Amino acid sequence: FHSHRNINQDVSLTVPPAQLAAMRKHAVRAMPGSDWQPLEITPGLPPERADVVIVGGGVVGWSVAYWLKRKERIRDGVRVLVVEKDPTYSQASTVLSVGGIRQQFSLPENIHLSLASAEFLRSINEHLGVLNEDPVDLQFNHSGYLFIASEKGAGIMEENYRTQRYAGAKVTLLSPAQVKEKFPWLNTEGVALASYGLENEGWFDPWSLLNALRRKAISMGVYQCFGEVTGFRYSTHSMPTDDSHQMSFKRIRYVNVRMPNSLEYQPVECAIVVNAAGAHSGKVADLAGIGSGPKDTLAAVPVPVEPRKRYVYVLHCPDGPGLDTPFLIDYSGVYCRREGLGGNYIAGLSPEEEEEPDTRDLEVDYNFFQDRIWPLLAHRVPAFECTKVASAWAGYYDYNTFDQNCILGLHPLVNNMYFATGFSGHGLQQSPAAGRALAELILDGGFRTLDLSALGFERIFHQEPVLERSIV
Amino acid sequence: MCVSVARPYSTVARSPSTPLPLRSKLLFFLSQHFYDVEQLRCLLHPKFKGWIQVSISFHTSVPLCESFTSLAYVFALWFVFSSAVARSVSHRFSGQSEWFRPNEKGKFSWDFVNFQEHPIEEVDVSGTVINCTGLDNLGTAKNLRTLSLRGCREVDDWFLSRLHIFQESLEELNLSGCPRISVGGLCALHHLRKLRKLDLSSLPRVQNPGLVRILLEEVLPHCHITGVEYDEGLQAFQEEKDSEALSSTGTGA
């Protein structure tokens, strides 16, 4: 009795109260019901197995994921994983895009892609509406595109107009007098012909589209992982051709996804890989060993997609053109559109091959505006003579160095790698239809709604570029 | 100590032995037939104008391709009438003889096929669920002068971008009360060069109605825009400033 009391007293004296509290807290955490694990599991790891791994979480990647889930016939029929390197999307081409959509192309495939995408955007809440969530608001401005051609390019513009009308785009040709009457703020000197889109053309908010696709795809069961693809594990098998050359074909078995700010990686076992990595598609293709074969063979042809930096400038001009400003594209290449209602405009120009800026970072060169853009812009729209640059940003094009059109399809030498890349500035406007086309390729085995076989890999291997005939 | 009072969720849960008093019975009946009562109330209101009205003008112009145009014309009018029928509400016959509209039972007379050579001039589809695909059916009405889209909840910016087909002829456009229209669609109205009257009242998605009116008047100089005052977007800003000033003085003191 006396000793019993002494023992209790001894125990309470030897363990200090703070340590006792810490022990109690640790014990509570170890009880079932808390998320404490004795072996720490990294949060955010991708699943160990997936059917389709989409490399790249931009608008094209999420569009493919959405359409794959939409076309699966049974619930959870396809397990889709989207791997995105940067959770902040700070350098993603999608969110840095100017956001325009047009049907005024010369290639019928491009026109159909854009038209189908506009159709998708028109009924976007039917496609991407999620129960109990806010409806999607794209802030679509239906202002149309106005292309201006000089004497040299007028013939090409007329032929393009016929192709566009045949494909179903609502475009109209305007003479210089009609342009002056419709848009009195435009200087029609040097203008021979203009092409104006009446419907389904304009600009919208790319971030809303990306978030809508992402939200809907995740609600349909797509897995999202933030990490970088650092390698592929593939198996190779060789087959002899008719002239008894050995051709080796690869099949990707595992995708190594490395966690951000860490050396830890998860090999994801997969059946199909979709390369929708945008400006970095070339690097991802190199990881799969494409383009590293013996010289003068098909295996030596790399995927011709590389990043190109483009500047976008926000201008403020209080006396500028009003609410009827279309997305103006001059024959010199300079483009300009209205932004908001406060007299702000967005302008840019594609630089020549020789003056391509360095793609290591996204720093903006303001001299480019002063030297190249402003003279051309002030000539075309005299009100822009007194304008000032409010801000600017730069973004990457996933530039197809071969023919500046997208690459959609399976690679002939890697049996399970699909490509949806190389859009060269048109990725946003073609993403819904391109995602659907790729989902049809994967799940149906071929194109069903739009025949885009002209945009596959065959043209690159046969060295037959499919070029857009732009007005000069 | 808290006391919770459980109210019955509906009076139907009452046991059958205690009959409802007459007043409760009446209220219950009215609550069960809420929408019918609402429609009755609207019918009896003298200013209610939600009927389909189509006015045929007695033009002498003859369309180029008679047979095809007449078929499309008939279909356009059938579409307009049947979309009114889809509202499944009994319509009151208004008594104006120039307008063709469905009668009480939703039936409309097919007399308009007698006027096939005469182009449609005014269409009033207020309160219907017409959307931009439905506008294709009206596409043959090349001489349309008045279009009233008051209270059409499915009319959105894509619908407005398609109105350019009437750019040669449209003179009056009523867009009031369409909840889906925003500035992105209004900027496509500059095609309508002949527009003289534009009604933009109660468009909830347009944030700066006064500014939009100024910009539209710049683009369409001959058009008279009603329903919007120049300072409409500004009032909210002034109230914000006042409330900020009040709160800052409050915290300061």
Side-chain angles (χ1 to χ4, degrees):
Chain A
F1 316 105
H2 183 69
S3 56
H4 189 63
R5 215 175 294 134
N6 270 341
I7 291 169
N8 283 345
Q9 231 171 349
D10 283 344
V11 164
S12 59
L13 278 172
T14 47
V15 179
Q19 201 179 342
L20 204 60
M23 282 169 59
R24 184 179 294 134
K25 204 165 92 158
H26 197 77
V28 160
R29 280 185 71 205
M31 285 286 124
S34 74
D35 60 354
W36 176 78
Q37 307 268 357
L39 303 163
E40 296 256 339
I41 297 181
T42 319
L45 275 181
E48 288 175 7
R49 234 164 270 109
D51 293 319
V52 181
V53 174
I54 299 178
V55 181
V59 69
V60 174
W62 280 108
S63 174
V64 176
Y66 162 75
W67 279 104
L68 278 171
K69 274 316 222 182
R70 191 165 140 163
K71 286 177 70 67
E72 65 179 8
R73 305 279 175 78
I74 54 175
R75 190 196 297 238
D76 295 331
V78 190
R79 182 187 279 205
V80 183
L81 169 70
V82 173
V83 181
E84 166 59 37
K85 183 169 68 167
D86 181 10
T88 59
Y89 285 87
S90 53
Q91 297 200 333
S93 306
T94 302
V95 299
L96 297 169
S97 155
V98 174
I101 177 169
R102 60 170 163 119
Q103 281 84 46
Q104 295 181 52
F105 294 99
S106 63
L107 204 61
E109 280 86 4
N110 277 335
I111 304 175
H112 286 298
L113 274 172
S114 249
L115 214 47
S117 300
E119 191 67 45
F120 183 87
L121 296 181
R122 175 165 51 228
S123 41
I124 193 167
N125 271 301
E126 284 173 31
H127 296 291
L128 302 183
V130 177
L131 199 59
N132 291 334
E133 297 271 351
D134 295 329
V136 184
D137 177 20
L138 284 180
Q139 295 159 44
F140 199 112
N141 279 272
H142 299 263
S143 288
Y145 268 64
L146 181 71
F147 276 81
I148 295 183
S150 60
E151 285 288 337
K152 272 198 299 187
I156 301 177
M157 180 175 267
E158 255 185 277
E159 288 172 28
N160 289 351
Y161 166 77
R162 251 173 266 134
T163 322
Q164 287 150 21
R165 286 303 295 254
Y166 183 69
K170 306 280 198 309
V171 189
T172 177
L173 284 178
L174 301 173
S175 68
Q178 284 171 318
V179 170
K180 193 70 193 176
E181 190 229 320
K182 241 178 155 52
F183 308 111
W185 41 264
L186 201 64
N187 172 19
T188 49
E189 183 198 325
V191 174
L193 194 60
S195 164
Y196 187 38
L198 295 168
E199 274 181 47
N200 298 329
E201 290 198 352
W203 58 88
F204 61 96
D205 179 23
W207 178 243
S208 315
L209 180 62
L210 177 65
N211 267 337
L213 282 166
R214 193 159 71 150
R215 183 181 76 176
K216 183 69 179 179
I218 289 181
S219 82
M220 290 161 110
V222 171
Y223 291 82
Q224 179 185 40
C225 168
F226 289 116
E228 188 177 348
V229 170
T230 47
F232 296 103
R233 215 157 87 201
Y234 46 83
S235 61
T236 322
H237 66 277
S238 303
M239 293 182 68
T241 62
D242 290 338
D243 352 340
S244 28
H245 289 293
Q246 286 291 111
M247 276 201 71
S248 61
F249 297 92
K250 296 193 183 84
R251 180 166 211 96
I252 297 177
R253 303 286 176 191
Y254 291 86
V255 180
N256 290 343
V257 179
R258 190 185 59 138
M259 291 296 105
N261 303 322
S262 163
L263 285 176
E264 180 178 3
Y265 70 93
Q266 166 78 31
V268 180
E269 187 180 356
C270 61
I272 288 174
V273 174
V274 174
N275 186 352
H280 308 288
S281 311
K283 277 208 307 250
V284 172
D286 289 340
L287 290 173
I290 297 176
S292 59
K295 217 163 88 77
D296 290 334
T297 57
L298 280 181
V301 178
V303 172
V305 176
E306 63 181 40
R308 291 278 173 101
K309 186 159 85 165
R310 293 285 177 268
Y311 302 118
V312 176
Y313 302 91
V314 180
L315 317 173
H316 180 68
C317 179
D319 295 320
L323 206 58
D324 60 346
T325 318
F327 201 127
L328 179 68
I329 302 194
D330 193 32
Y331 52 80
S332 54
V334 74
Y335 63 82
C336 166
R337 72 157 171 89
R338 175 181 59 86
E339 168 63 32
L341 301 175
N344 294 318
Y345 302 88
I346 284 186
L349 171 68
S350 277
E352 302 291 320
E353 282 285 342
E354 308 83 50
E355 48 183 22
E356 282 285 348
D358 188 19
T359 53
R360 268 186 307 227
D361 55 23
L362 286 180
E363 292 298 315
V364 177
D365 177 16
Y366 288 88
N367 295 329
F368 185 73
F369 177 78
Q370 281 299 121
D371 303 333
R372 298 275 277 120
I373 300 185
W374 185 69
L376 296 167
L377 205 56
H379 171 72
R380 188 52 62 206
V381 183
F384 284 145
E385 277 181 24
C386 47
T387 178
K388 63 178 174 64
V389 179
S391 75
W393 71 81
Y396 292 122
Y397 271 14
D398 48 344
Y399 195 78
N400 182 348
T401 48
F402 185 62
D403 56 7
Q404 292 87 56
N405 275 319
C406 62
I407 305 176
L408 285 177
L410 193 56
H411 196 276
L413 299 177
V414 181
N415 289 349
N416 59 349
M417 191 172 205
Y418 288 82
F419 282 77
T421 177
F423 289 92
S424 316
H426 306 135
L428 178 70
Q429 59 184 283
Q430 294 177 340
S431 58
R436 183 179 61 181
L438 212 70
E440 285 169 2
L441 267 188
I442 293 175
L443 293 179
D444 298 336
F447 294 113
R448 292 281 173 266
T449 44
L450 292 173
D451 182 18
L452 304 172
S453 33
L455 296 172
F457 263 102
E458 281 81 27
R459 72 186 202 267
I460 298 175
F461 286 110
H462 292 153
Q463 290 290 305
E464 288 164 10
V466 159
L467 286 162
E468 267 285 311
R469 297 174 69 212
S470 56
I471 46 129
V472 164
Chain B
M1 185 177 109
C2 65
V3 175
S4 63
V5 177
R7 294 184 71 94
Y9 211 64
S10 74
T11 45
V12 189
R14 222 184 238 259
S15 57
S17 57
T18 55
L20 290 173
L22 186 62
R23 200 173 66 102
S24 304
K25 254 200 230 171
L26 181 64
L27 283 175
F28 182 58
F29 173 79
L30 287 177
S31 71
Q32 292 267 299
H33 296 90
F34 172 75
Y35 290 103
D36 297 340
V37 173
E38 270 295 298
Q39 285 297 340
L40 197 66
R41 197 178 63 80
C42 289
L43 275 176
L44 296 174
H45 197 281
K47 288 206 186 122
F48 187 70
K49 281 202 198 100
W51 311 124
I52 287 291
Q53 297 163 338
V54 175
S55 139
I56 318 286
S57 79
F58 292 83
H59 269 231
T60 52
S61 60
V62 177
L64 286 169
C65 173
E66 286 200 21
S67 56
F68 183 70
T69 329
S70 59
L71 199 64
Y73 168 94
V74 165
F75 183 70
L77 283 177
W78 174 84
F79 166 76
V80 162
F81 281 136
S82 55
S83 61
V85 170
R87 288 176 63 207
S88 69
V89 172
S90 58
H91 297 256
R92 186 178 59 193
F93 190 65
S94 157
Q96 279 184 322
S97 56
E98 295 98 51
W99 293 79
F100 283 74
R101 63 167 53 85
N103 68 357
E104 299 142 359
K105 302 232 172 60
K107 297 256 182 281
F108 47 89
S109 70
W110 283 81
D111 289 343
F112 60 81
V113 296
N114 298 332
F115 299 101
Q116 278 178 34
E117 294 89 41
H118 307 282
I120 308 175
E121 269 208 347
E122 295 182 36
V123 170
D124 178 356
V125 285
S126 325
T128 58
V129 290
I130 189 169
N131 68 2
C132 59
T133 327
L135 188 58
D136 288 340
N137 295 318
L138 287 175
T140 52
K142 286 289 180 269
N143 287 30
L144 196 67
R145 284 225 318 256
T146 305
L147 182 59
S148 173
L149 300 165
R150 213 179 64 152
C152 292
R153 61 171 205 266
E154 297 289 328
V155 161
D156 57 4
D157 297 336
W158 296 86
F159 188 101
L160 292 184
S161 76
R162 283 214 177 166
L163 286 181
H164 68 86
I165 48 178
F166 303 126
Q167 64 183 346
E168 298 301 319
S169 59
L170 198 66
E171 285 173 20
E172 282 183 36
L173 182 60
N174 186 339
L175 293 174
S176 53
C178 297
R180 291 200 181 186
I181 294 184
S182 74
V183 182
L186 293 175
C187 66
L189 291 181
H190 70 272
H191 291 281
L192 307 169
R193 287 283 157 199
K194 292 256 177 73
L195 202 63
R196 296 288 169 264
K197 274 173 62 176
L198 179 62
D199 189 343
L200 294 180
S201 40
S202 51
L203 293 175
R205 272 188 70 186
V206 175
Q207 262 96 26
N208 308 301
L211 178 59
V212 171
R213 178 179 170 181
I214 294 173
L215 292 171
L216 272 176
E217 282 177 353
E218 257 178 56
V219 162
L220 295 168
H222 304 291
C223 181
H224 177 60
I225 300 180
T226 55
V228 158
E229 295 306 316
Y230 286 122
D231 58 349
E232 252 184 59
L234 296 179
Q235 267 168 13
F237 180 64
Q238 194 58 36
E239 280 162 12
E240 260 178 47
K241 270 177 66 175
D242 293 339
S243 66
E244 266 178 37
L246 275 173
S247 62
S248 64
T249 48
T251 50

